[in-house]
Amino acid sequence: MDYSRKIAERLWNLPDKGELESRREEVFIDDIIQKSHMEKELLSHLDGIKTVFDGGAGCGRFSILLAQKGCAVTHFDLSEPMIDKAKELAAKAGVLDKITFVKGALEELKDFNDRSFDLVISFDAPVSYTYPHQKKVIGELVRICRKRIMISVSSRLGSLPYLSNPMQKCQFLLDETSDDPFVKWCIENKESAVEAFHFDKEAVLKLYREGLMGGDSEIAEYENGGTPWCITYTFMPDELEDLLKHYGVKNIKLAGPGAYARTLPRELLVKIMNDEKQRSDFLDFCHFYDANPFVCGMGKDNLFAQGEL
């Protein structure tokens, strides 16, 4: 088994992953914006959609939404804690009987027949964690799709600023008093991140050229019993579009959720999010702006693509 998959399985199967991931829209503004963008796209493309495959479905954010809209959903994920959390949330939403839960890795979709699902989705970049099989995985997701596919992958252009701004996540903290462990880590390590920072031109260019985040150090940490972040392949917009075209996807549209929000300081983002009218208007405008092809690569973390079969 490839290290990427082993590392991903260890990370996503941590006992607290289900609970923490289910609360991300409560603590991080960029997650709110990203999920809102995808939700708007889903809800505007449900005509004729009866069956859905949600690959890397996590805690069921979209599986549950689609089940509530009357779709029969296959919720597919490699994390038992997140599947358990998804079942809990689906039961609370009254749609447990409309979702089939399957534990598995995106690298292995051979048990699903060609054109099995009207809609195939895979959000929050699980495809990027399947390196070096990311191209094959996209091909498999297309293979099992009958009508429409929507995926989000890690964005290379969107990821590059992280190498020049280790505090970038702090911009999107909705509540600094949250007991979320990552929120606490961001706040506690802010000053040390500034002190330790130096701009590394070669590291930035290496990511730009190769698209890969992680490698030998993550493998070493894994071998020593640690739980590093996933080895991640980041995509360029034209690369993702060409790949989807290669597999027969038509009418492809790209977007970069979070591109507009990157231009605002945290103080204003928090003010917007805490006012119901401003929040609704802001999310609507972000959806409009972030879908512009000239900014799609600069989405906060993800590059979003959709098309028809």
Side-chain angles (χ1 to χ4, degrees), residues 120-154:
V120 170
I121 66 174
S122 181
F123 294 156
D124 285 346
V127 169
S128 286
Y129 307 146
T130 65
Y131 174 85
H133 305 295
Q134 68 276 2
K135 292 182 180 180
K136 178 184 176 183
V137 167
I138 290 177
E140 283 290 276
L141 291 171
V142 174
R143 178 184 65 79
I144 66 174
C145 181
R146 184 182 302 121
K147 295 182 178 180
R148 178 171 291 275
I149 185 168
M150 296 184 181
I151 64 173
S152 70
V153 299
S154 291

Side-chain angles (χ1 to χ4, degrees), residues 165-171 173 176 182-197 266-267:
N165 184 4
M167 301 179 299
Q168 187 170 163
K169 197 68 176 178
C170 295
Q171 178 186 359
L173 297 179
E176 288 186 322
F182 189 45
V183 171
K184 291 181 176 180
W185 185 92
C186 288
I187 294 170
E188 292 170 359
N189 288 274
K190 187 174 181 179
E191 290 187 11
S192 60
V194 174
E195 293 174 2
F197 173 76
R266 177 181 176 270
E267 293 83 355

Side-chain angles (χ1 to χ4, degrees), residues 24-233:
R24 293 194 66 78
E25 284 181 88
E26 299 174 14
V27 293
F28 292 108
I29 297 169
D30 51 336
D31 281 284
I32 294 171
I33 294 166
Q34 182 172 296
K35 301 296 193 303
S36 173
H37 187 105
M38 295 168 183
E39 179 174 307
K40 291 178 189 298
E41 290 300 324
L42 281 173
L43 296 182
S44 63
H45 291 94
L46 286 183
D47 287 349
I49 301 299
K50 296 181 180 180
T51 57
V52 180
F53 177 87
D54 188 353
C59 299
R61 169 64 168 82
F62 296 106
S63 294
I64 293 170
L65 172 69
L66 292 167
Q68 289 172 324
K69 296 300 178 180
C71 299
V73 183
T74 296
H75 176 111
F76 186 89
D77 203 277
L78 57 68
S79 168
E80 197 67 52
M82 289 209 279
I83 290 175
D84 290 342
K85 186 64 179 181
K87 289 179 179 178
E88 174 191 326
L89 295 174
K92 288 181 180 178
V95 294
L96 188 61
D97 61 329
K98 291 182 170 60
I99 304 175
T100 300
F101 296 90
V102 180
K103 187 173 187 289
L106 286 177
E107 294 92 332
E108 296 181 359
L109 298 180
K110 60 183 181 299
D111 290 338
F112 296 98
N113 294 329
D114 295 0
R115 300 171 62 82
S116 297
F117 302 92
D118 294 330
L119 171 65
V120 170
I121 66 174
S122 181
F123 294 156
D124 285 346
V127 169
S128 286
Y129 307 146
T130 65
Y131 174 85
H133 305 295
Q134 68 276 2
K135 292 182 180 180
K136 178 184 176 183
V137 167
I138 290 177
E140 283 290 276
L141 291 171
V142 174
R143 178 184 65 79
I144 66 174
C145 181
R146 184 182 302 121
K147 295 182 178 180
R148 178 171 291 275
I149 185 168
M150 296 184 181
I151 64 173
S152 70
V153 299
S154 291
S155 168
R156 188 174 311 178
L157 294 173
S159 297
L160 283 166
Y162 277 108
L163 299 187
S164 301
N165 184 4
M167 301 179 299
Q168 187 170 163
K169 197 68 176 178
C170 295
Q171 178 186 359
F172 298 96
L173 297 179
L174 182 58
D175 179 9
E176 288 186 322
T177 67
S178 169
D179 61 357
D180 183 273
F182 189 45
V183 171
K184 291 181 176 180
W185 185 92
C186 288
I187 294 170
E188 292 170 359
N189 288 274
K190 187 174 181 179
E191 290 187 11
S192 60
V194 174
E195 293 174 2
F197 173 76
H198 74 280
F199 181 73
D200 188 339
K201 177 182 175 181
E202 290 308 312
V204 174
L205 288 174
K206 187 175 188 294
L207 176 58
Y208 181 82
R209 289 190 300 263
E210 300 176 5
L212 192 63
M213 294 192 296
D216 292 342
S217 61
E218 283 73 16
I219 292 171
E221 184 179 346
Y222 173 87
E223 288 293 347
N224 287 328
T227 308
W229 184 256
C230 305
I231 296 174
T232 307
Y233 183 79

